[in-house]
Amino acid sequence: MSPPRVESWQDANRRHLSAALGVVRARLVRFARAAGTELPASSDDVDAAQAALAEAASGMPSPPALDVLGETFGLSPFERDILLCCAGLELSAGFGAIFAAAHGDSRRVWPTFGLALAALPEGHWSALTPVAALRRWELVSLAPGDGLTSSPLRLDERILHHLAGLSYLDRRLQEVLAPVFARKELPPSHEEVAQRLQRMWARSQGVASPVFQLHGLEPEGAQAIAAAACDALGLQLHAVRAAQLPTGMEERAALARLWEREALLLGSGLLLECDDASGAEAQRLAVAFAERVQGLVIVSTREPLRLRGRAAVHLAVKRPTRGEQRLIWAQVLGPLAGQMNGALEHITTQFDLSMRSIHAAGAEVREQGPYDGEGALGSALWAACRVQSRPRLEDLAQRIELAAGWDDLVLPPEKKSLLREIAASVRQRARVYETWGFASQSTRGLGISALFSGASGTGKTMAAEVLARELGLDLYRIDLSQVVSKYIGETEKNLRRVFDAAQEGGAILLFDEADALFGKRTEVRDSHDRYANIEVSYLLQQMEAYSGLAILTTNMKDALDTAFLRRLRFVVPFPFPDAAQRAEIWRRMFPPATPTEGLNMARLARLSVTGGNIRTIALNAAFLAADAGEPVRMTHLQRAVRSEFSKLDKPLAEAEVSGWT
């Protein structure tokens, strides 16, 4: 004999809903018959219907959807019966005829507030008000009609499916909200923040709940922390980006009200992601929405938002520590981690990656294998980390493709030696700061900053390129003349975005035209002078805090404030090349594949020009020769020189080019 089948919650819920509809049906039939309408007498037995409902309730393995809905929204028995009237119209064809009989009008096959007040027990007028549960939460709506009590009532589709035991995110929210699922494991530092959030939310129940702000440079970590806290509280997390919020007040209020209802139905928390909310207006909308929505609201943002209408709890979110990153790398790489031969230490020193970026880089390396030769795996992982750290910086600065090496750089030996010191400082900063303990003495001044000064074309950008290639890092050029804004506070925002974006990969930042921001500080005469000094101080702070290398270039070192120069780690002057250096530059300028004939390097070196000018002259001469179908000769270079000097509006002595042809 087979064991009896255990009824599922879905089946039991359907049976309970059918029995509850039976009670309302019996009351409506009794009312219609009392009004003189002929209906079957057996269908008005309220007592029998209530007994069937009690039996169905006793067989429920857990509370039915109807009871949960009533408790969640605080519905009175009368309001609950109105919901059942509306549900009966959708679920049972016979209800339409019963409504028509109760109305005494064959055309009125729908429920109304007036009919409910007359036919159902414990009726109360307050159920009709917009602030009562039925209309406030849009459980039912009034169709166009003659009046409040005579207008047809319609049950919201989402509520109908919920009563039937089907739970899903309202379709009107699906285009805006996305579910976020908790990860199996979090780094200990993130797990600690998640537990604090969980405890603080649990303590705030029954009082005015605060908005939790997770702020820092780790939006992905904030999302994982929020999901973990919600999971521990038995809630499902849904995220919405601030940029997707409606700008209209009514639309925003409607979205907030719809979400609040959905949060109660599903048991959910809301994550408002404000990392892409740039500008005062976008932040104002995000603040207004966060203050308006009730329930568990978590905001992720780079910097805290100022809330005025609601208390806020601020929790800082940092990237996993270096030690945690090494453990994550070991988990992601699996057996490959044993082949790294200490390279992971070097990688975690240079790259400060999020969990998502670590997983993406690890997946890329696993797919590219197997690896032959010592160091191949480490090189592949290093390259993958560089790629992962690029996206945020690509929109803010120009990445320079690295081609120049030490042999391409023509400088006095002492200048090259200084550049090699800079490279050594970047390579060994983890050992000196952390292993040898210099960072424990003070956290100030740990950034590696350099100033390259010299005339245009003396090799400042090429030197930065050489350093980036030597260190295996990306080089990004930022034009300070474009970063500086006339609007107060905007320059700092622009600079912060650049440094924040670069932090993950420790890219080398090359700030061109430093004179645009770092000229001689003058006496403060008005607010603009005061804010100009604030901009200078702010960039100095950012450079000192930046874990990578920041290089500034200037054509006018003497125009810079000496107080600023003292705070730079390295200052490298790039002198105007002398004749011997110019000759060496000329010799290296033409690639081996370029056909040349009769070039006199000694005569070319007489030209008082920089390496940048030499490159332009050589390139233009090559085009002239190619167009003539000839090798590059002194005649082509003479024409290119005249053109370059004319462009520079610089006089050219005839003696400088005499005897070239």
Side-chain angles (χ1 to χ4, degrees):
M1 182 177 178
S2 60
R5 186 177 71 87
V6 178
E7 188 176 32
S8 67
W9 181 90
Q10 289 284 354
D11 292 337
N13 184 72
R14 281 193 291 269
R15 190 160 61 87
H16 180 273
L17 179 60
S18 178
L21 291 173
V23 174
V24 173
R25 182 190 295 109
R27 286 172 174 157
L28 291 171
V29 169
R30 177 178 291 183
F31 174 79
R33 290 183 72 251
T37 304
E38 292 294 331
L39 287 170
S42 60
S43 60
D44 68 348
D45 191 343
V46 176
D47 292 337
Q50 287 179 328
L53 176 59
E55 180 184 355
S58 65
M60 288 294 302
S62 59
L66 178 62
D67 290 356
V68 173
L69 187 72
E71 183 178 352
T72 298
F73 295 102
L75 300 180
S76 68
F78 176 62
E79 291 169 327
R80 169 174 158 154
D81 285 346
I82 291 176
L83 277 185
L84 289 169
C85 287
C86 298
L89 183 64
E90 302 290 346
L91 299 174
S92 175
F95 262 84
I98 296 174
F99 289 134
H103 283 301
D105 185 344
S106 60
R107 295 169 300 176
R108 302 181 69 191
V109 292
W110 51 73
T112 64
F113 272 128
L115 176 59
L117 285 167
L120 301 176
E122 302 182 47
H124 53 94
W125 185 263
S126 61
L128 283 64
T129 62
V131 295
L134 290 179
R135 294 178 63 192
R136 176 195 172 193
W137 296 109
E138 299 183 3
L139 307 181
V140 300
S141 59
L142 287 169
D146 297 331
L148 181 62
T149 59
S150 59
S151 297
L153 292 176
R154 295 295 302 272
L155 183 66
D156 184 82
E157 180 183 358
R158 173 71 177 89
I159 302 302
L160 175 65
H161 291 307
H162 182 82
L163 290 174
L166 302 174
S167 185
Y168 60 91
L169 184 67
D170 192 295
R171 61 178 178 80
R172 290 167 289 184
L173 295 173
Q174 290 177 3
E175 296 299 321
V176 181
L177 296 170
V180 182
F181 301 100
R183 294 175 177 169
K184 293 182 179 180
E185 294 182 1
L186 289 180
S189 58
H190 288 187
E191 182 65 38
E192 180 182 353
V193 178
Q195 291 175 358
R196 288 181 59 197
L197 196 159
Q198 173 196 349
R199 291 193 299 268
M200 297 174 76
W201 170 253
R203 288 199 300 265
S204 70
Q205 297 300 295
V207 297
S209 59
V211 171
F212 294 91
Q213 292 199 39
L214 300 175
H215 52 82
L217 302 179
E218 182 69 344
E220 299 159 5
Q223 191 179 85
I225 289 169
C230 284
D231 187 62
L233 291 164
L235 301 175
Q236 169 64 55
L237 180 67
H238 286 83
V240 58
R241 294 171 58 192
Q244 293 180 301
L245 294 176
T247 55
M249 183 180 299
E250 292 185 5
E251 294 86 351
R252 200 165 58 250
L255 176 65
R257 186 167 55 251
L258 186 59
W259 163 253
E260 289 172 357
R261 189 186 78 174
E262 200 65 21
L264 292 171
L265 288 172
L266 293 176
S268 293
L270 180 68
L271 175 63
L272 178 59
E273 298 180 315
C274 299
D275 302 284
D276 57 352
S278 58
E281 180 62 16
Q283 291 191 359
R284 185 189 68 79
L285 294 177
V287 167
F289 190 76
E291 292 181 332
R292 166 68 177 78
V293 177
Q294 298 303 307
L296 176 55
V297 179
I298 305 169
V299 175
S300 71
T301 176
R302 295 191 182 280
E303 294 187 353
L305 300 178
R306 294 182 179 179
L307 274 64
R308 295 178 176 85
R310 193 171 173 185
V313 173
H314 299 277
L315 299 172
V317 179
K318 300 179 181 179
R319 290 198 176 94
T321 65
R322 303 292 185 182
E324 290 171 344
Q325 289 182 35
R326 284 191 287 272
L327 292 176
I328 297 171
W329 276 117
Q331 295 169 358
V332 169
L333 293 175
L336 290 177
Q339 306 175 27
M340 293 298 294
N341 296 326
L344 273 183
E345 182 74 26
H346 189 35
I347 286 174
T348 54
T349 297
Q350 177 60 46
F351 299 98
D352 191 15
L353 299 179
S354 66
M355 285 187 65
R356 183 180 299 178
S357 296
I358 290 175
H359 280 271
E364 180 181 339
V365 168
R366 290 196 307 269
E367 292 173 1
Q368 291 177 354
Y371 297 94
D372 297 326
E374 185 177 353
L377 175 58
S379 298
L381 191 56
W382 184 278
C385 290
R386 283 177 62 178
V387 172
Q388 288 299 319
S389 63
R390 285 174 182 168
R392 287 181 54 205
L393 200 51
E394 294 286 315
D395 297 333
L396 303 173
Q398 174 194 3
R399 179 159 54 88
I400 298 177
E401 294 296 332
L402 307 179
W406 289 107
D407 291 340
D408 300 306
L409 198 58
V410 179
L411 284 174
E414 65 274 12
K415 308 305 180 192
K416 273 195 174 183
S417 177
L418 194 53
L419 292 175
R420 293 187 186 275
E421 285 185 32
I422 296 174
S425 296
V426 176
R427 270 194 304 265
Q428 302 300 330
R429 65 184 184 279
R431 176 180 297 181
V432 173
Y433 288 158
E434 298 174 17
T435 306
W436 290 3
F438 272 76
S440 63
Q441 294 182 344
S442 174
T443 58
R444 293 180 301 169
L446 299 183
I448 301 174
S449 55
L451 176 73
F452 291 175
S453 64
S456 296
T458 51
K460 300 185 296 295
T461 300
M462 178 181 284
E465 187 178 332
V466 169
L467 286 173
R469 187 176 176 185
E470 166 79 8
L471 295 167
L473 298 173
D474 288 325
L475 173 64
Y476 283 90
R477 177 185 177 274
I478 302 99
D479 189 345
L480 270 177
S481 64
Q482 301 298 316
V483 171
V484 175
S485 173
K486 65 179 180 180
Y487 297 105
I488 291 174
E490 286 300 312
T491 300
E492 292 94 319
K493 289 181 182 179
N494 295 337
L495 290 170
R496 181 172 61 249
R497 291 176 64 203
V498 170
F499 279 102
D500 288 352
Q503 192 69 41
E504 192 173 38
I508 296 178
L509 301 180
L510 176 65
F511 290 91
D512 261 356
E513 306 295 339
D515 316 285
L517 188 60
F518 300 104
K520 287 276 190 180
R521 283 185 284 186
T522 60
E523 180 184 353
V524 176
R525 300 187 184 92
D526 55 28
S527 62
H528 291 283
D529 293 334
R530 186 180 303 110
Y531 277 103
N533 289 345
I534 290 174
E535 291 169 354
V536 171
S537 298
Y538 183 81
L539 181 55
L540 294 177
Q541 293 170 8
Q542 290 291 318
M543 292 174 62
E544 289 175 340
Y546 181 53
S547 62
L549 169 62
I551 302 172
L552 298 110
T553 69
T554 178
N555 300 335
M556 299 176 291
K557 177 186 174 184
D558 293 339
L560 300 184
D561 192 335
T562 54
F564 164 68
L565 292 175
R566 283 196 300 268
R567 296 176 68 174
L568 291 166
R569 181 82 66 84
F570 297 95
V571 176
V572 184
F574 284 72
F576 197 94
D578 58 23
Q581 291 169 344
R582 293 196 296 269
E584 185 62 28
I585 295 173
W586 276 112
R587 277 191 289 271
R588 302 182 185 189
M589 192 54 61
F590 295 98
T594 304
T596 60
E597 181 180 290
L599 300 187
N600 189 323
M601 298 303 172
R603 289 189 174 182
L604 290 171
R606 295 176 188 171
L607 288 173
S608 182
V609 290
T610 65
N613 299 132
I614 291 174
R615 175 173 174 76
T616 302
I617 294 169
L619 192 61
N620 289 341
F623 277 107
L624 292 173
D627 191 56
E630 302 170 350
V632 179
R633 299 190 178 107
M634 294 294 286
T635 52
H636 304 120
L637 286 166
Q638 187 183 61
R639 291 173 57 188
V641 166
R642 294 185 187 279
S643 176
E644 181 70 6
F645 272 64
S646 175
K647 179 188 75 175
L648 298 174
D649 198 19
K650 183 178 178 181
L652 176 65
E654 193 61 34
E656 291 184 280
V657 293
S658 62
W660 283 25
T661 59

